[in-house]
Amino acid sequence: VGRSDIRARIPDLGPLETKKVAVVGAGAIGSAVAVHLGRAGVGHISLIDADVLEPGNLVRHAATFEGVGFLKAVAVARLVRMAAPYTEVMYNPAYVGGSRPHGEPDPLRQISQDLESYDLLIDASADRGTQRILAMVAREADLPYLSLEATNGAWGGLVAYIGRDSTWCQSCLEWFRQDQTIPDPAHSP
């Protein structure tokens, strides 16, 4: 099976072979998104997450029991490679915005430099502080930013896209959420 065989049914996805996407957060949403990006033919995916996959995560995670005990980014990279053998997958076990031991290098600085060659930053962290940081990094790198989150139980969620030429920003999104212009996603059936 070659690359052309995989793309035969949807040739319009061919241009994705040259695209580079970074996914921060390899949990429930990030794992599914990464696998589907690979299946769609994205040429390079970088997964950034320092959390470990635990058995309780499997109810909502794309990984299988074989990935338990590994970093989520490692487990998801393996899934992407199995689903999309022509997609280059890298992983970085970094906490974005989290504390680090004294003297340890700042992973955000390296991530920021790496992102300059990417086409899209997907934030699946579902953490407001991390979202602020990543939106700022994306703006500084002139990189489109896509934020994805779901409520516990996945009864609701939020998808926010801030493009290169957007007239609004992450602070606008936070303001609109605060004043309920954008209502909170559903938390129960």
Side-chain angles (χ1 to χ4, degrees):
V1 174
R3 194 182 293 260
S4 62
D5 297 312
I6 293 171
R7 302 288 163 254
R9 295 204 56 189
I10 309 177
D12 293 344
L13 296 178
L16 292 178
E17 292 177 6
T18 63
K19 302 299 180 188
K20 292 177 74 172
V21 177
V23 179
V24 177
I29 294 175
S31 64
V33 166
V35 170
H36 286 290
L37 287 171
R39 286 180 176 161
V42 170
H44 178 94
I45 299 171
S46 180
L47 300 161
I48 303 165
D49 197 325
D51 288 339
V52 173
L53 185 66
E54 298 176 10
N57 299 130
L58 296 178
V59 71
R60 60 187 186 272
H61 200 278
T64 64
F65 198 77
E66 288 180 331
V68 170
F70 289 96
L71 291 170
K72 289 178 181 177
V74 171
V76 174
R78 184 171 178 249
L79 289 175
V80 173
R81 287 181 186 121
M82 289 179 1
Y86 299 107
T87 296
E88 180 183 9
V89 187
M90 308 296 288
Y91 66 88
N92 182 345
Y95 282 107
V96 176
S99 61
R100 62 186 188 280
H102 180 70
E104 288 288 321
D106 181 3
L108 189 58
R109 179 165 292 147
Q110 183 61 48
I111 291 167
S112 297
Q113 291 170 350
D114 292 344
L115 287 176
E116 292 176 5
S117 68
Y118 280 72
D119 298 292
L120 177 65
L121 172 59
I122 298 176
D123 178 354
S125 69
D127 176 78
R128 297 271 173 96
T130 303
Q131 291 168 346
R132 273 186 223 109
I133 291 168
L134 291 174
M136 177 192 68
V137 166
R139 186 172 289 271
E140 289 174 1
D142 193 30
L143 184 65
Y145 170 79
L146 180 65
S147 177
L148 311 169
E149 62 182 81
T151 59
N152 286 338
W155 298 110
L158 180 74
V159 175
Y161 176 76
I162 303 172
R164 286 186 170 102
D165 299 325
S166 289
T167 58
W168 64 286
C169 63
Q170 182 68 22
S171 295
C172 300
L173 175 62
E174 289 179 25
W175 179 261
F176 292 144
R177 290 182 81 172
Q178 179 68 30
D179 75 2
Q180 291 294 298
T181 300
I182 297 175
D184 289 332
H187 285 13
S188 70

